[in-house]
Amino acid sequence: MYNDPFLQSAGTSATVPTLGHLINGKLVAGGSRSQDVFNPATGKAEKRVLLADAVTMEQAIASAQAAYPAWRATPPLKRARVMSKLKQLLEENADQICALVTAEHGKVLADALGELQRGIENVEYASYAPELLKGEHSKNAGPSVDSWSEFQALGVTAGITPFNFPVMVPLWMWPMAVVCGNCFILKPSERDPSSALLVAQLALAAGLPPGVLNVVNGDKEAVDILLTDKRVAAVSFVGSTPIAEYVYATGCAHGKRVQALGGAKNHAVVMPDADIPNAVNAMMGAAYGSCGERCMAVPLIVAVGDKTADAMIAGLKVEIAKMKVGPGTDASNDMGPLVTKPHFEKVKGYVEQGIKEGAKLVVDGRHVKVPGHEGGYFLGPCLFDNVKPGMVTYQEEIFGPVLGVVRVKTLQEAMAMIDAHEYGNGTCIFTRDGEAARFFTDNILVGMVGVNVPLPVPVAYHSFGGWKRSLFGDLSAYGPDAVRFYTKRKTITQRWPSAGVRDGTVFSFPSSR
Ligand code: NAD
């Protein structure tokens, strides 16, 4: 054990493991309200998390503001070295981090390790800071005039993150923000708050000065302060679309730079010429991995032709029958529980809604039993045939292990359907036809597109972002866009006339004419 993120270890009198905040380099209590943190595999409240109030938020913002001048002045190479050390500590402490994720989110340990690895890759990219921040230079932009653009830090920046990637999504944000010279306040999901605090402690151990990264746990009260406080220059958000829209509108109205990534409903087109066994295998992970609680999950297959649909359903039924559902701590399980009881009830409600709407439930996962875990939020994989646009089951993000098959006759019909959907996060096509794949990738109105790749999550040195109502703002998350998001451009034009050279007065606009 490297450390643990609970307040007992900070010497307080809490009776169950209690999570507070990390402000100015220390784990602290703060806020009179708190809520339970459940283990979704048992249904038991095993921890509590304190919810930050205005006083706590003031401490966090003031701490970030105080740390900013010295951190901004720290050479990028030194800032980057903290990231290299953090990468090493994340790798060394992977087991402990993943155990916290599984205990609060429910996902299987191998999946927690996958998200941690993707997070580490973002830390690795952030360690290229000196290269990324080099700027642009033009010698002799005019006679004896040089011009350059540099990318300066914004000041205090903030991030608000969702429950479904409690390690990875925070690592999309704050490593890039801090290597660019900013200080950061992270508000993780109150449903699974421990891992973000542990990672922040590792960042301190890696050499990040106190106050550069502060973690506050909380809910709307904390978020609203980040969105309205004048000292916060920029806010990154990842979560559901209604909250993303609210965060974007409120933050922008208060003069902040905001990027707000929202929900999704990703479609996989399966063409008649696709390698069906491969497409089936790919769809199993894409639909049911992490219990469908991924913004890049693929809950819809758009099968071109009835033969394609029938073959996919036949293959999926065989694979679903082999799936093992149970606690994420057991390595033999493929799928863990849903995150909370209300979410479990909501997803079951969508299955009932689909039946009422006339979709055909081919596999019903509602009666799955996990011996010894009767209180857990387990829902088995569900599969619908004959899902149609207009159905709630088609339109809304379910965020659970529910896969639907839509039958169409042509690729054009499939693409028109995808383009008409309010979300445009990810999509993919399974085919052996290069022309069809090229037409699809060229024209589809979606931000991240896969060809025979079901989850086209960009690597850390590209950027991640959907289109339409899956992203509010102009810049995507992580990668090169993050450098632009967390910095502002300053362009300097400089002339050093030779001694004795006298300039005449010029009234026309300066140009190269
Ligand atoms: P959520 O919108 O409920 O919560 C996200 C964050 O917003 C949390 O930190 C939460 O505390 C805060 N929040 C919740 N209600 C709020 C309110 N009324 N005012 C201010 N802040 C509020 O999302 P979630 O359930 O934690 O996460 C799942 C959602 O996130 C899904 O819709 C999923 O598609 C989306 N998601 C999107 C991406 C992406 O990159 N586009 C990635 C991961 C998750």
Side-chain angles (χ1 to χ4, degrees), residues 161-164 187 190-191 237-240 262-263 295 397 399 464:
T161 54
F163 82 84
N164 66 322
K187 208 295 292 166
E190 61 276 40
R191 287 184 255 177
F237 173 89
V238 176
S240 60
C295 68
E397 181 180 45
F399 228 52
F464 181 110

Side-chain angles (χ1 to χ4, degrees), residues 96-245:
Q96 192 190 350
I97 297 167
C98 294
L100 287 175
V101 171
T102 295
E104 296 173 11
H105 175 286
K107 63 177 74 177
V108 297
L109 281 168
D111 194 33
L113 198 58
E115 87 155 276
L116 173 62
Q117 178 55 31
R118 280 297 188 118
I120 288 173
E121 287 164 18
N122 283 277
V123 173
E124 193 170 21
Y125 183 73
S127 72
Y128 308 154
E131 179 68 23
L132 298 171
L133 291 168
K134 270 200 314 210
E136 300 159 355
H137 191 270
S138 298
K139 196 173 166 66
N140 284 335
S144 305
V145 173
D146 301 327
S147 183
W148 71 91
S149 293
E150 56 190 42
F151 298 96
Q152 297 197 348
L154 304 175
V156 178
T157 55
I160 299 146
T161 54
F163 82 84
N164 66 322
F165 285 109
V167 174
M168 180 183 77
V169 172
L171 290 175
W172 285 2
M173 298 178 180
W174 70 258
M176 285 306 293
V178 304
V179 294
C180 289
N182 301 286
C183 291
F184 200 86
I185 299 166
L186 171 67
K187 208 295 292 166
S189 171
E190 61 276 40
R191 287 184 255 177
D192 46 13
S194 296
S195 54
L197 276 174
L198 176 58
V199 171
Q201 288 170 283
L202 296 178
L204 284 170
L208 199 67
V212 173
L213 170 66
N214 299 279
V215 182
V216 287
N217 280 305
D219 54 9
K220 182 171 167 52
E221 184 177 350
V223 172
D224 283 345
I225 291 171
L226 293 174
L227 295 177
T228 53
D229 191 291
K230 283 196 172 55
R231 293 164 292 180
V232 177
V235 175
S236 299
F237 173 89
V238 176
S240 60
T241 286
I243 311 298
E245 197 164 25

Side-chain angles (χ1 to χ4, degrees), residues 5 16 106 120 132 145 154 171 230 258 269 283 286 297 301 320 370 372-374 407 421 428 472-473:
V16 288
I120 288 173
L132 298 171
V145 173
L154 304 175
L171 290 175
K230 283 196 172 55
V258 186
V269 176
M283 281 308 305
I301 290 174
I320 289 172
V370 181
H373 288 78
E374 285 70 18
R407 293 171 179 249
H421 203 283
C428 62
F472 301 88

Side-chain angles (χ1 to χ4, degrees), residues 265-268 283 287-288 298-303 313 316 359-362 382-388 393-394 398 400-407:
K265 187 86 178 183
N266 305 317
H267 302 62
M283 281 308 305
Y288 302 122
V298 187
L300 289 169
I301 290 174
V302 188
I313 288 171
L316 286 165
K360 184 175 166 203
L361 189 61
V362 187
C382 298
L383 178 64
F384 274 111
D385 190 6
N386 283 323
V387 173
K388 292 192 168 60
T393 335
Y394 173 84
I398 297 177
V402 183
L403 174 60
V405 176
V406 188
R407 293 171 179 249

